[in-house]
Amino acid sequence: MRDNIALNLLFIQTLSDIERGWILTTKEARDELTNLQAHGNKKEFLEVARNLPSYGVIQFQKAIVDYPEANTQTSVTIGNKELSTRTVVGKKVQEARFKESSYTESKETSLDVYLMNGFRIAVNAYTTECSTKVLEKACDNIDLPREFAYYFALFLMRKENDGNVTLTRKLMDFEAPYITQRILLFHKTVSAV
């Protein structure tokens, strides 16, 4: 990573997420991360952290559920193509992971990405690639280091009859822009019938 400010921000955020228990580590990984932190090796610290299974997932607020017992506290995360739940029953922690199981054939396509300055760039991507990958390819197209992709987001937009553009919503990092767009178009045509 060439940008020291971005490196520091990612390091602090990752360290905070680990301390909060949002990024789960094994004892060995925690020892390695502690050693890297003590020696000031931020870049290597982030490389190790990025390989942890709960790195980069979205953490929802804790919820109370009625399974496996009434008033059971659970944490829900989504990311890395899976939905995970972690429930605490007494002193016992139970985890459940639900992996993406549907298969969609991936084809190369061109996506239009509109920049804030009004310019449009065409990004060649596979139909199943997530927003993060599409943003990295967009950075490549405008000669921006891929590390900066995490400062940007993709939004779905709708062109109105009067020519104005409305942003409908931000795409989540794990969403495939092409598939999401096709699903919304499908629902629009079904509801119009």
Side-chain angles (χ1 to χ4, degrees):
M1 185 173 284
R2 293 177 246 160
D3 186 334
N4 284 333
I5 294 171
L7 178 67
N8 286 331
L9 286 172
L10 285 171
F11 174 75
I12 290 167
Q13 181 66 52
T14 304
L15 189 59
S16 172
D17 289 353
I18 291 170
E19 289 171 355
R20 290 179 181 181
W22 292 357
I23 298 176
L24 303 176
T25 63
T26 62
K27 180 172 178 1
E28 296 80 23
R30 193 165 197 53
D31 290 344
E32 183 178 1
L33 290 168
T34 302
N35 185 35
L36 291 169
Q37 179 187 358
H39 289 91
N41 294 331
K42 294 177 183 176
K43 188 173 182 179
E44 291 83 3
F45 179 95
L46 289 171
E47 290 298 322
V48 171
R50 285 183 75 182
N51 291 315
L52 296 170
S54 55
Y55 179 87
V57 299
I58 297 171
Q59 184 87 278
F60 294 95
Q61 288 184 345
K62 293 192 184 300
I64 304 297
V65 296
D66 289 332
Y67 182 83
E69 296 174 3
N71 297 320
T72 301
Q73 188 176 23
T74 187
S75 299
V76 178
T77 60
I78 190 166
N80 301 327
K81 298 186 179 185
E82 72 179 21
L83 172 79
S84 300
T85 62
R86 192 169 20 147
T87 57
V88 179
V89 180
K91 293 185 179 183
K92 187 178 178 186
V93 176
Q94 296 176 340
E95 284 194 69
R97 295 181 187 273
F98 305 93
K99 293 254 183 206
E100 179 183 48
S101 60
S102 65
Y103 173 76
T104 303
E105 184 179 343
S106 188
K107 300 175 204 161
E108 193 164 9
T109 189
S110 179
L111 297 171
D112 289 335
V113 175
Y114 291 86
L115 306 176
M116 291 305 292
N117 62 3
F119 290 111
R120 177 184 60 86
I121 59 172
V123 176
N124 292 325
Y126 286 97
T127 54
T128 55
E129 284 186 310
C130 66
S131 296
T132 304
K133 292 288 183 198
V134 173
L135 284 170
E136 287 173 354
K137 289 181 177 189
C139 284
D140 291 345
N141 282 11
I142 58 174
D143 296 324
L144 195 63
R146 282 186 168 208
E147 295 94 50
F148 288 110
Y150 300 101
Y151 294 108
F152 301 100
L154 290 177
F155 291 83
L156 289 176
M157 56 186 235
R158 179 179 59 240
K159 198 169 219 175
E160 305 294 344
N161 292 336
D162 61 3
N164 289 331
V165 173
T166 302
L167 296 179
T168 55
R169 73 175 178 87
K170 178 183 180 276
L171 288 172
M172 302 302 284
D173 292 342
F174 57 84
E175 279 186 276
Y178 180 85
I179 292 174
T180 301
Q181 198 174 31
R182 293 296 166 247
I183 290 171
L184 291 174
L185 286 173
F186 173 76
H187 285 294
K188 184 178 180 182
T189 56
V190 169
S191 63
V193 173

